[in-house]
């Protein structure tokens, strides 16, 4: 289930998971010197969250479907799609006239995928479309057409955490937060 937690709600959960909340609620001890534990936990949470957005399995995240993105035609019958600035990952794309959606390949495959479009025997078609992230951050896809579906993982900023409940364990557990 998709959840949206504020920074303070996530910090409270992290403090509880680390055993940093006192059991007694009738008294409070405060120090004015020493380290700011909350600030350290906030930094750790943010780093874990960004890593989760970039590398975690899709089931741990809360992907969005954005179809109203700006696209333009590009070489060899393809299209260039400008993704929003807050987009951390592009998962899948489906164009109008395509038989299926396809995963968006990483930028390391950009030159290989683009090069195949010059060869009529291996170039993408509506039956076998292809999409790849470009070095400029845009998505390049063949064949061209209107974007029907674009599944992305976005970063809501430093004040919120949006993810699936199953991903919470990677943010709250002590250790490295490996996904």
């Amino acid at each position: 289930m998709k959840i949206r937690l504020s920074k303070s709600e996530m910090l409270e959960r992290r403090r509880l998971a680390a055993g940093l909340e006192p059991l007694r609620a009738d008294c409070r001890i405060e120090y004015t010197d020493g380290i700011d534990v909350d600030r350290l936990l906030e930094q750790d949470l943010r780093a874990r969250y960004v890593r989760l957005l970039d590398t975690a399995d899709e089931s741990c995240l809360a992907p969005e479907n954005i179809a109203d993105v700006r696209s333009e035609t590009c070489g060899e019958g393809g299209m260039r799609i400008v993704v929003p600035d807050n987009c951390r990952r592009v998962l899948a794309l489906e164009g109008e006239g395509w038989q299926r959606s396809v995963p968006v390949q990483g930028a390391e495959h950009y030159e290989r995928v683009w090069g195949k479009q010059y060869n009529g025997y291996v170039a993408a078609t509506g039956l076998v479309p292809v999409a790849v992230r470009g070095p400029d951050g845009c998505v390049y896809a063949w064949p061209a057409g209107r974007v029907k579906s674009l599944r992305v993982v976005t970063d809501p900023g430093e004040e919120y955490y949006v993810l699936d409940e199953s991903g919470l364990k990677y943010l709250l557990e002590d250790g490295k937060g490996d996904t």
Side-chain angles (χ1 to χ4, degrees):
M1 183 171 86
K2 179 179 173 178
I3 58 172
R4 180 180 172 100
L5 300 171
S6 69
K7 183 193 251 184
S8 60
E9 290 171 326
M10 185 59 83
L11 181 61
E12 182 181 329
R13 287 180 182 222
R14 179 67 177 102
R15 288 180 66 81
L16 283 171
L20 296 172
E21 290 295 322
L23 290 176
R24 294 187 58 186
D26 61 338
C27 66
R28 186 175 189 123
I29 300 173
E30 292 186 26
Y31 289 97
T32 56
D33 61 343
I35 60 173
D36 184 356
V37 175
D38 283 349
R39 185 69 182 134
L40 288 175
L41 291 175
E42 285 173 1
Q43 289 175 340
D44 179 56
L45 275 170
R46 179 68 183 158
R48 288 181 185 207
Y49 183 60
V50 169
R51 182 173 179 203
L52 186 80
L53 294 178
D54 290 344
T55 62
D57 186 75
E58 185 178 342
S59 64
C60 297
L61 306 171
E64 300 174 40
N65 186 1
I66 55 172
D68 58 340
V69 290
R70 187 171 54 103
S71 66
E72 54 197 39
T73 58
C74 67
E76 296 306 308
M79 63 179 160
R80 177 178 177 260
I81 302 161
V82 180
V83 295
D85 291 336
N86 67 339
C87 181
R88 297 292 303 190
R89 268 167 66 189
V90 182
L91 301 171
L93 171 68
E94 183 177 356
E96 197 169 85
W98 294 11
Q99 297 298 313
R100 61 187 176 94
S101 71
V102 293
V104 177
Q105 299 177 43
E108 65 273 11
H109 302 286
Y110 172 75
E111 289 184 25
R112 180 184 54 80
V113 170
W114 186 281
K116 284 184 174 185
Q117 304 317 307
Y118 293 103
N119 183 332
Y121 294 105
V122 294
T125 65
L127 289 173
V128 186
V130 67
V132 65
R133 193 88 188 246
D136 58 357
C138 295
V139 173
Y140 293 84
W142 292 268
R146 191 177 67 79
V147 175
K148 192 173 174 182
S149 167
L150 182 65
R151 289 181 45 80
V152 299
V153 175
T154 58
D155 181 358
E158 293 190 20
E159 294 301 316
Y160 291 98
Y161 294 83
V162 180
L163 65 157
D164 188 86
E165 279 183 306
S166 64
L168 274 176
K169 66 181 177 184
Y170 300 111
L171 297 178
L172 300 179
E173 290 178 351
D174 278 336
K176 299 185 185 341
D178 292 332
T179 54

